[in-house]
Amino acid sequence: NDVTGCVSTITLDLRVNPIPSPDPDPSPIVVCDDDNDGFSSFDLESRTVEIINGELDIEVSYYETLSDAETSQNALSSPYNNIVADNQTVYVRAENTLTGCFTVVELDLEVQPSPEVPLDIEDYIECDDDSNGITAFDLTQMDATILGTQSPGDYTLTYHLTQADDDTGNNPIVNTTSYSNASNPQTLYVRLESIANGCVSTGVFDI
């Protein structure tokens, strides 16, 4: 049989799956440092929605190194405690759950310093001229004690009647130069907020 000139053909499909396109520059996660040691706890998953950027079928995971992100090894759990003081970069793997294609982006973790308020603030004592247990206190006399070596222009200092208001910053005492106590003694709460980063520290003392 002469088969010269016979040709067989097959059809081969080539498919190129697109790689995920997460947000290439997600917002840093910024936290306030309660003890100013440069380390804190981060909710990594708080950036997941931003990173996915509306794309479907994307799974996001977080890693300490680029190599781990590329090989999908040693994924971080949240909350995560940074291991590099003050500023650390972690790597985010955005993987398409249908194709396995992935993209890695960087996420910055920033620890911001908090104001320093003395742990033990001495009582503020005034003499009572008419012995009724009520007198006027100039709370601004406590400013220097609370601020220490910190510059007054860098902070907002307020005084409050309850811990709840101190935590939120609501209902500060307005007449700080002449506040009349409601009981004797009375506990007051102090709130020191950084103008630069919004970090807050609180304290307590008695009048």
Side-chain angles (χ1 to χ4, degrees):
N1 295 327
D2 185 3
V3 295
T4 301
C6 292
V7 177
S8 296
T9 61
I10 60 173
T11 300
L12 178 64
D13 290 332
L14 300 178
R15 179 179 299 173
V16 178
N17 290 319
I19 62 173
S21 53
D23 186 331
D25 188 25
S27 305
I29 304 179
V30 181
V31 299
C32 296
D33 189 357
D34 292 337
D35 56 9
N36 288 329
D37 65 350
F39 297 92
S40 193
S41 180
F42 292 84
D43 178 9
L44 300 178
E45 295 175 1
S46 66
R47 290 294 179 269
T48 296
V49 172
E50 178 184 343
I51 290 168
I52 290 176
N53 200 26
E55 195 170 359
L56 299 178
D57 304 315
I58 299 297
E59 183 178 76
V60 170
S61 49
Y62 300 84
Y63 303 84
E64 283 182 348
T65 68
L66 177 58
S67 175
D68 281 349
E70 291 175 337
T71 57
S72 190
Q73 295 182 350
N74 306 312
L76 302 176
S77 58
S78 191
Y80 168 73
N81 294 321
N82 60 308
I83 61 172
V84 178
D86 299 325
N87 293 281
Q88 180 179 342
T89 298
V90 295
Y91 300 86
V92 188
R93 178 186 175 105
E95 180 175 339
N96 187 294
T97 57
L98 301 179
T99 67
C101 296
F102 68 90
T103 300
V104 176
V105 297
E106 296 182 354
L107 173 64
D108 291 329
L109 309 180
E110 299 179 9
V111 182
Q112 296 288 333
S114 293
E116 295 183 2
V117 172
L119 293 177
D120 295 312
I121 304 174
E122 292 186 3
D123 296 345
Y124 178 9
I125 300 173
E126 286 282 4
C127 294
D128 183 8
D129 293 336
D130 53 14
S131 300
N132 66 353
I134 304 297
T135 193
F137 291 82
D138 181 1
L139 300 181
T140 62
Q141 291 188 21
M142 297 296 292
D143 291 2
T145 298
I146 294 164
L147 285 164
T149 59
Q150 300 168 115
S151 174
D154 295 335
Y155 302 91
T156 300
L157 174 58
T158 52
Y159 298 89
H160 302 263
L161 298 178
T162 68
Q163 184 66 64
D165 283 344
D166 200 35
D167 291 338
T168 61
N170 293 333
N171 304 311
I173 294 173
V174 177
N175 55 329
T176 53
T177 58
S178 184
Y179 172 74
S180 295
N181 56 306
S183 62
N184 188 32
Q186 180 182 354
T187 299
L188 294 184
Y189 303 85
V190 57
R191 175 187 175 93
L192 190 61
E193 181 174 352
S194 169
I195 295 173
N197 59 28
C199 291
V200 172
S201 294
T202 61
V204 60
F205 66 95
D206 288 339
I207 58 173

